[in-house]
């Protein structure tokens, strides 16, 4: 799909290769930004390009995990250690998923960046990340549940995990995520 977009433009209105599907005339690229991000890597070829794209996305996952751990104030040496052992804590299928040229690799990065933005209470950053999520991954709506849980915990618990005597209300992060996603849905070319 990225190769077709590179030749015909990044906004496709039909998908003539799906001859027995509604996509023939009513095309919707649910992972549009993922396909756009892959286009520059195709200059390396159909095989080598996606392989380098996978490496790039895995570096993005590591970067976003680093950002998240540093947001939690984990010391650099310990953060590096946790990044190194994390894959060993996961079942074998996770390793396979890290080698697949699929949009979930973008989603992992966005998830860790979102968690860091929530912890820092950066509303605009979360809105921007949510916008990118809506453009790049079909399961972006799941982030709203995490943000809602975060907002509830922010109201009920302090930074040490103790119950608040007086509930703390602030600007909800959920509104920033909803607005970012709504704008992403509006801007989505399909």
């Amino acid at each position: 799909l990225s190769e077709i977009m590179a030749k015909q433009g990044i906004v496709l209105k039909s998908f003539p290769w799906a001859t027995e599907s509604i996509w023939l005339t009513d095309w919707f690229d649910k992972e549009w930004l993922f396909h756009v991000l892959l286009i520059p890597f195709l200059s390396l070829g159909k095989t080598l390009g996606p392989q380098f794209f996978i490496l790039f996305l895995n570096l993005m996952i590591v970067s976003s995990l680093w950002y998240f751990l540093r947001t939690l104030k984990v010391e650099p040496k310990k953060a590096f250690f946790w990044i190194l052992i994390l894959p060993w804590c996961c079942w074998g299928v996770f390793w396979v998923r890290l080698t697949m040229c699929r949009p979930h690799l973008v989603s992992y990065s966005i998830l860790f960046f979102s968690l860091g933005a929530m912890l820092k209470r950066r509303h605009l950053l979360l809105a921007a990340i949510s916008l990118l999520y809506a453009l790049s991954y079909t399961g972006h709506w799941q982030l709203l549940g995490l943000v809602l849980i975060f907002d509830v915990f922010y109201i009920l618990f302090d930074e040490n995990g103790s119950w608040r005597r007086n509930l703390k209300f602030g600007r909800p992060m959920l509104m920033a995520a909803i607005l970012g996603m709504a704008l992403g849905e509006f801007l989505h070319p399909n």
Side-chain angles (χ1 to χ4, degrees), residues 122-124 126-128 130 147 172-181:
R122 300 254 172 98
H123 291 77
L124 289 176
L126 182 62
S130 299
V147 178
M173 298 297 292
L174 184 61
M175 290 309 299
I178 289 172
L179 290 172
M181 278 188 198

Side-chain angles (χ1 to χ4, degrees), residues 1-187:
L1 183 58
S2 294
E3 183 180 28
I4 294 166
M5 292 169 81
K7 293 176 183 173
Q8 298 181 11
I10 60 173
V11 179
L12 301 175
K13 294 298 180 188
S14 65
F15 197 71
W17 302 271
T19 57
E20 303 299 322
S21 168
I22 61 168
W23 280 354
L24 179 64
T25 56
D26 294 320
W27 171 245
F28 181 79
D29 185 2
K30 57 189 178 176
E31 282 117 6
W32 177 78
L33 188 57
F34 168 79
H35 295 119
V36 171
L37 291 173
L38 176 56
I39 292 171
F41 290 88
L42 293 177
S43 64
L44 300 171
K46 286 186 189 181
T47 303
L48 192 58
Q51 290 172 342
F52 271 96
F53 187 53
I54 291 168
L55 289 174
F56 169 75
L57 292 177
N58 275 276
L59 286 173
M60 287 299 299
I61 293 169
V62 170
S63 299
S64 64
L65 185 55
W66 178 265
Y67 171 75
F68 173 63
L69 290 170
R70 296 298 290 142
T71 300
L72 291 173
K73 297 184 172 104
V74 175
E75 296 172 19
K77 287 182 182 179
K78 290 180 181 178
F80 182 71
F81 171 78
W82 281 110
I83 289 171
L84 285 179
I85 69 162
L86 181 64
W88 298 101
C89 299
C90 303
W91 195 49
V93 174
F94 184 75
W95 280 89
V96 173
R97 290 185 62 80
L98 289 176
T99 64
M100 298 172 71
C101 189
R102 305 258 338 255
H104 66 274
L105 293 178
V106 175
S107 178
Y108 295 151
S109 293
I110 290 174
L111 175 65
F112 287 127
F113 280 127
S114 298
L115 292 171
M118 284 186 278
L119 288 171
K120 288 186 172 188
R121 300 215 34 92
R122 300 254 172 98
H123 291 77
L124 289 176
L125 179 59
L126 182 62
I129 293 169
S130 299
L131 183 148
L132 293 176
Y133 217 175
L135 292 172
S136 62
Y137 190 64
T138 188
H140 64 275
W141 55 270
Q142 298 173 71
L143 178 63
L144 297 178
L146 290 174
V147 178
L148 175 64
I149 291 168
F150 177 84
D151 278 344
V152 169
F153 275 74
Y154 179 78
I155 292 168
L156 298 176
F157 299 97
D158 65 17
E159 292 75 21
N160 298 319
S162 301
W163 285 95
R164 292 187 190 276
R165 293 179 188 254
N166 299 318
L167 299 181
K168 184 174 182 178
F169 294 96
R171 290 179 305 167
M173 298 297 292
L174 184 61
M175 290 309 299
I178 289 172
L179 290 172
M181 278 188 198
L183 185 57
E185 293 286 343
F186 177 75
L187 293 175

